[in-house]
Amino acid sequence: MKILTRMGDSSNVELTLDELRKELEEGSEAAAKKAKIPILTENEFDYLADMFAAPTRIWGVQRGNEVVMTKDGCVNALNSSRMSSGVVAPVNREVGVRLFESMLGFDSMEVSHNDYSVKPQRFLKALEQLHMELLQETTIFPLLYGFMPNLGLYYRPDGSFENPSDLLPLGKIAEARRTQEEALQACMDDCILMSDCMVEMGADGIDYDTVASTGDAEFLAVLKTTEHVANETGLPVEIGMSSEMVLGFHGELEWDGVRLAGLWPHQQLELCEKAGTAIFGPVVNTNTRKTTPWNLARALTFVKACTEIAKIPIHANVGMGVGGVPMFETPAVDAVTRCSAAMIEIGKCDGL
Amino acid sequence: MQLKKMRITEAKQYVADKLHVTPLDLSDPTLMRGLREELDIGTITGVPGVAKGIAAKIRIAELLDIEINCVEQFKKKTGLHK
């Protein structure tokens, strides 16, 4: 019997049951070896094998095991370009949020600008505040305000700080570290500004998305911001990561005595919890040259290591190119539903 | 309730207890449609007269015995704060 599934780039691939099982085991082992965490159990491999072998187009969780969803990127999927899987619908943000609540059945929503990084959003502070304030009066579901810290925008040519990517190839290690330390302070100031201003607008929380995309310096900026926001304002903070490992562009930065470079999801979670995070979103990137069973088993192994120790809700990222889902701008429903359901049934996630 | 750092099982039980239903009932659209209208906490479809937006959230905060930031801010602005 041949089982039809997908590669990490979303193209079709056929596997025998033995090949499928091998892909699942090797994916889980790849994560376990990297992060020094346990592989999935035999029962969990059985569930995944049955799920992938089922010929149905879609898959789902057992009734009663439903979880809640938080979201990044506001209504970009409606009114943005293909970069955000957007369909360029002529819908503004206020209408879009209402549609996500009532028509698309979302459990919560993030309010943010199309230009999703904190640096451009801070110039629109008053507008951002007004839309949060107005939407809180017309919707029922929780509204978080969100953005990407995106430390990369603070470096030349986009920003004013020297770019560590220019300095490192020249062997200017100390200079590269110093510019990251200076830039992270500016990024943190903007993150705090745009978080604090949402308290009186009635925001139900703040979502920092794609965290540590520029490595350990960005992760430090977000941990410090979270510490401030959680302790000083009481606003719940959701942290959604950008990849499974924090890259060490700086290499020596620490928070609470822990070196940030090289941290895996369960280690990132522990620091986020200490900083006061209310929801943690681990990310596991998809390898486009591997199969979806391999990618999903690998992602589940990382995520399960989080949910087993978490004191706060875990909302794993399950979207284009993360959480086992193929890297394709319109991900196939057979892959998305299987990855989502497995994240709940096997990964034991509290949300997605 | 996720915003109060509750894990999903605990959060579902909390809400279910407050609504006098079971956690399984919370994801039953048939049961919840009627219950939401009965409790006047907002419905998915447009129903004239049923609480909407901030009005529904004020009722939800009371029903679940939780503090909702926008409700608190609304009360401050309107002088409804006790």
Side-chain angles (χ1 to χ4, degrees), chain A residues 63-64 66 68 102 133 136-137 139-140 199 202-204 236 276-277 307 310-313 315 350, chain B residues 2-3 5-8 12 24 27-28 41-42 44 53-54 56-57 60 68-70 73-74 77:
Chain A
R63 271 187 74 175
E66 298 88 350
V68 293
S102 55
E133 198 174 19
Q136 284 289 9
E137 294 190 5
T139 59
I140 301 175
V199 178
D204 296 300
T277 307
T307 54
K311 299 181 192 75
I312 59 174
H315 289 200
D350 302 274
Chain B
Q2 296 276 297
L3 302 179
K5 301 189 182 181
M6 279 188 190
R7 299 292 303 268
I8 188 74
K12 281 183 181 177
L24 187 65
S27 49
D28 182 339
I41 55 173
I44 296 296
I54 194 74
K57 283 188 280 196
I60 290 169
I68 297 177
N69 186 31
C70 63
Q73 301 298 332
F74 184 80
K77 286 185 190 114

Side-chain angles (χ1 to χ4, degrees), chain A residues 132-250:
Chain A
M132 171 59 77
E133 198 174 19
L134 289 168
L135 280 165
Q136 284 289 9
E137 294 190 5
T138 56
T139 59
I140 301 175
F141 62 174
L143 295 178
L144 287 77
Y145 184 73
F147 49 78
M148 299 190 296
N150 199 353
L151 183 63
L153 285 187
Y154 291 79
Y155 300 129
R156 293 174 194 164
D158 300 301
S160 56
F161 295 93
E162 277 198 280
N163 197 322
S165 298
D166 295 332
L167 297 167
L168 287 170
L170 302 174
K172 295 183 175 179
I173 309 296
E175 291 87 342
R177 282 181 172 146
R178 190 164 57 246
T179 193
Q180 290 180 72
E181 290 159 18
E182 291 167 356
L184 86 82
Q185 184 64 42
C187 178
M188 186 185 79
D189 291 345
D190 287 344
C191 290
I192 288 175
L193 176 80
M194 290 306 293
S195 302
D196 284 0
C197 76
M198 288 296 161
V199 178
E200 289 194 354
M201 300 304 108
D204 296 300
I206 300 289
D207 177 30
Y208 304 132
D209 182 62
T210 326
V211 167
S213 62
T214 323
D216 47 353
E218 186 179 312
F219 193 31
L220 181 59
V222 170
L223 288 169
K224 285 182 170 182
T225 301
T226 302
E227 205 173 12
H228 162 85
V229 173
N231 293 327
E232 301 300 320
T233 72
L235 269 183
V237 173
E238 174 168 11
I239 290 183
M241 298 301 291
S242 58
S243 65
E244 66 242 22
M245 192 194 74
V246 178
L247 295 174
F249 281 120
H250 186 291

Side-chain angles (χ1 to χ4, degrees), chain A residues 15 20 30 49-50 52 75 99 103 137 146 162 252 347:
Chain A
L15 302 171
L20 169 63
D50 288 347
F52 278 108
V75 298
L99 290 175
M103 196 173 172
E137 294 190 5
E162 277 198 280
E252 290 183 339

